[in-house]
């Protein structure tokens, strides 16, 4: 009669390690798979952070800066759209860098 395969209990100290433990147990025999999996995790997290910062910058620019600029320039002449777009681009880059430091 065949005996069932008995595995040892997992050897990890934190619940955060369970995913890495699973990958090393199931796919440890495939060369490069563990590194590829970790690279995908990092790429996904960087993409999420980048999207969040981009969204935060866009919301700040459109919902706070532009209405304030309109309110401040009520009586003044309208600036041409080309210079406004250039200044918004510069301002969005500055806002993105500042928000990156704050987060």
């Amino acid at each position: 009669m065949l005996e069932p395969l008995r595995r040892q209990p997992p050897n990890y100290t934190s619940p955060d390690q369970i995913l890495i433990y699973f990958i090393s147990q199931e796919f440890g025999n495939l060369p490069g798979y563990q590194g590829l999996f970790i690279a995908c995790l990092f790429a996904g997290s960087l993409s999420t952070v980048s999207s969040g910062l981009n969204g935060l910058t866009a919301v700040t620019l459109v919902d706070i800066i532009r209405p304030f600029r309109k309110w401040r320039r009520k009586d003044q002449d309208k600036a041409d759209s080309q210079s406004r777009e250039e200044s918004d681009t510069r301002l969005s880059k500055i806002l993105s860098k500042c928000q990156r430091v704050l987060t």
Side-chain angles (χ1 to χ4, degrees), residues 24-40:
S24 65
Q25 288 297 311
E26 296 299 320
F27 302 107
N29 57 347
L30 298 172
Y33 190 78
Q34 293 173 339
L36 181 64
F37 185 79
I38 297 297
C40 290

Side-chain angles (χ1 to χ4, degrees), residues 14-31:
S14 170
D16 294 339
Q17 296 172 339
I18 188 73
L19 184 62
I20 303 301
Y21 176 78
F22 172 75
I23 295 299
S24 65
Q25 288 297 311
E26 296 299 320
F27 302 107
N29 57 347
L30 298 172

Side-chain angles (χ1 to χ4, degrees), residues 65-88 90-91:
I65 303 295
R66 283 186 182 168
F68 177 74
R69 196 183 292 155
K70 263 188 198 175
W71 174 77
R72 195 180 69 179
R73 291 186 183 172
K74 279 183 190 175
D75 300 330
Q76 298 175 1
D77 294 338
K78 299 281 185 186
D80 62 334
S81 64
Q82 180 68 24
S83 67
R84 192 175 323 127
E85 290 295 323
E86 289 173 1
S87 71
D88 283 350
R90 270 188 257 114
L91 185 60

Side-chain angles (χ1 to χ4, degrees), residues 1-68:
M1 186 138 197
L2 293 175
E3 289 189 31
L5 180 64
R6 295 182 189 199
R7 290 190 178 183
Q8 295 179 358
N11 184 20
Y12 58 89
T13 58
S14 170
D16 294 339
Q17 296 172 339
I18 188 73
L19 184 62
I20 303 301
Y21 176 78
F22 172 75
I23 295 299
S24 65
Q25 288 297 311
E26 296 299 320
F27 302 107
N29 57 347
L30 298 172
Y33 190 78
Q34 293 173 339
L36 181 64
F37 185 79
I38 297 297
C40 290
L41 281 178
F42 280 129
S45 64
L46 284 174
S47 172
T48 303
V49 171
S50 172
S51 298
L53 286 174
N54 187 28
L56 189 61
T57 300
V59 166
T60 303
L61 184 66
V62 171
D63 292 345
I64 296 172
I65 303 295
R66 283 186 182 168
F68 177 74

